[in-house]
Amino acid sequence: MVGEHPTDESIRVVFHVKSNLSKRAQAVQFRLDDGVFDWAGKCDLTIEDVLYPNREAEQELLEKAKDFLLKAVASGPAETKDLKQQAAVLGISERTLERAKAALGLRARRVGTKGKIGSGHYEWYLNEADTTSSEELH
């Protein structure tokens, strides 16, 4: 596999991806300067470093989203539309919010009058079976 170096866009990194007969080799780097190929030596980058250069920042955002959701639903269900608006103000995308919801095991349900179109809304909540009171923790 060949990918762009995460901190130097003039360098490409070659990875040994698959082999049945030997262990994987260390990654090597190269440059193409004005049509001239130049090896830049071995490097310690992993495939994940190249494929997911913002992995740490994304993980921090996911943790921020999880903290936000836990606080938002701690006292009971919260309307999905409100959660998404508040998350956007905090710089949390809908996709990250959905990933946080899944990671926390939050549930969604529609609330409204049955048969009355447009009267309801969706809300997210902690599964009651997963919640434990402080007395049960001791």
Side-chain angles (χ1 to χ4, degrees), residues 111-122:
V111 178
T113 306
K114 190 172 183 171
K116 190 171 182 184
I117 297 174
S119 69
H121 63 273
Y122 282 90

Side-chain angles (χ1 to χ4, degrees), residues 13-94:
V13 184
V14 179
F15 295 97
H16 182 179
V17 178
K18 182 179 177 184
S19 176
N20 296 5
L21 303 174
S22 65
K23 69 178 192 171
R24 288 189 180 163
Q26 186 174 7
V28 293
Q29 312 173 92
F30 69 90
R31 281 190 176 86
L32 284 174
D33 288 325
D34 296 325
V36 177
F37 181 89
D38 182 33
W39 284 110
K42 295 180 179 181
C43 73
D44 293 326
L45 291 174
T46 66
I47 291 173
E48 290 79 14
D49 294 334
V50 171
L51 292 176
Y52 310 107
N54 300 322
R55 180 179 45 206
E56 289 179 19
E58 289 172 7
Q59 189 62 35
E60 287 175 19
L61 268 176
L62 180 60
E63 291 303 316
K64 180 180 177 180
K66 287 165 57 176
D67 289 342
F68 162 72
L69 283 176
L70 283 175
K71 290 175 185 171
V73 300
S75 60
E79 192 169 337
T80 305
K81 183 177 85 174
D82 293 340
L83 290 172
K84 289 180 179 182
Q85 288 174 346
Q86 293 170 19
V89 170
L90 295 172
I92 300 169
S93 70
E94 280 193 36

Side-chain angles (χ1 to χ4, degrees), residues 9 12 28 35 40 65 78 80 85 95 97-98 102 113 115 136:
E9 50 188 58
R12 300 296 179 262
V28 293
T80 305
Q85 288 174 346
R95 178 69 188 122
L97 196 65
E98 292 283 349
T113 306
E136 293 173 341

